[in-house]
Amino acid sequence: MKKYYLLLLAFICLCSLSVKADTPCCPEQSKPMPTCEKPCETRCPQPCVPTCDKFLCTKVNLEQLGKCMNLSEAQLCNAHKIQEKYDQEVYSMKERIQCEKQKLCQLEKTCAKGSEIRKQKRLIKRLEKEVKKICDCYEKQFKATLSNQQIKAYNKHRK
């Protein structure tokens, strides 16, 4: 009876090894490609939408923000101008980030070297930091027109 158990155990081990041998990675890579629930096509970023109704770095649009913060007409006008400048400056950078994310997805699909993938991720992170820095600059300009109470309300909505 023990022989049958050993034979069954050996058969299960061989089956599990043969399954692991069929990885989607390139032969020169020692580690298998990381798997995920979704295929790479669904994880890849979609093309950038040119208009965004969110105000600077917040998750709400300017009209909602204006109502919650009781902004005057002059403040709303100034905020619209700031948003337009921000959009013009950041739009091309956001497009570039989307392109770089597409390249990263292609690298992951083709099982590129880990160093290439890390380099691409660092590039994306650097570009995102630049966008954040620009956003902070415009945010300071916007906050300069606000009262202390409005700044507190803005900080609540910003998160």
Side-chain angles (χ1 to χ4, degrees), residues 3-147:
K3 290 181 182 180
Y4 292 113
Y5 287 123
L6 286 174
L7 183 61
L8 182 64
L9 184 62
F11 181 76
I12 292 172
C13 289
L14 287 174
C15 288
S16 65
L17 288 174
S18 67
V19 169
K20 295 222 181 225
D22 295 332
T23 61
C25 284
C26 305
E28 63 266 7
Q29 243 181 344
S30 60
K31 292 187 230 175
M33 186 172 148
T35 57
C36 61
E37 297 81 35
K38 302 175 189 174
C40 191
E41 291 79 38
T42 59
R43 283 191 340 231
C44 291
Q46 300 304 316
C48 187
V49 179
T51 57
C52 182
D53 63 344
K54 306 299 180 208
F55 180 69
L56 294 179
C57 304
T58 62
K59 295 179 181 173
V60 295
N61 64 20
L62 186 57
E63 285 71 31
Q64 290 174 334
L65 205 60
K67 288 177 185 175
C68 295
M69 294 171 49
N70 296 325
L71 295 178
S72 68
E73 288 297 318
Q75 288 174 322
L76 276 173
C77 182
N78 188 27
H80 280 289
K81 288 178 184 176
I82 290 172
Q83 181 67 37
E84 286 176 14
K85 288 180 190 175
Y86 171 75
D87 288 340
Q88 288 175 356
E89 190 170 341
V90 173
Y91 180 71
S92 62
M93 292 181 74
K94 286 186 177 182
E95 280 186 334
R96 174 133 186 251
I97 290 171
Q98 292 298 321
C99 289
E100 298 300 334
K101 285 182 178 180
Q102 288 287 352
K103 286 180 187 176
L104 175 64
C105 189
Q106 290 298 321
L107 287 173
E108 289 174 346
K109 281 183 191 176
T110 59
C111 298
K113 293 181 183 176
S115 61
E116 291 176 5
I117 293 173
R118 284 190 301 276
K119 184 178 177 182
Q120 191 68 21
K121 286 181 179 179
R122 282 193 301 266
L123 175 64
I124 293 168
K125 195 174 236 182
R126 183 181 54 81
L127 290 171
E128 287 172 343
K129 282 183 181 181
E130 287 179 28
V131 169
K132 178 75 171 126
K133 197 183 294 185
I134 293 169
C135 182
D136 290 342
C137 178
Y138 282 105
E139 196 173 47
K140 285 179 186 177
Q141 288 180 9
F142 175 66
K143 282 184 177 181
T145 64
L146 303 177
S147 67

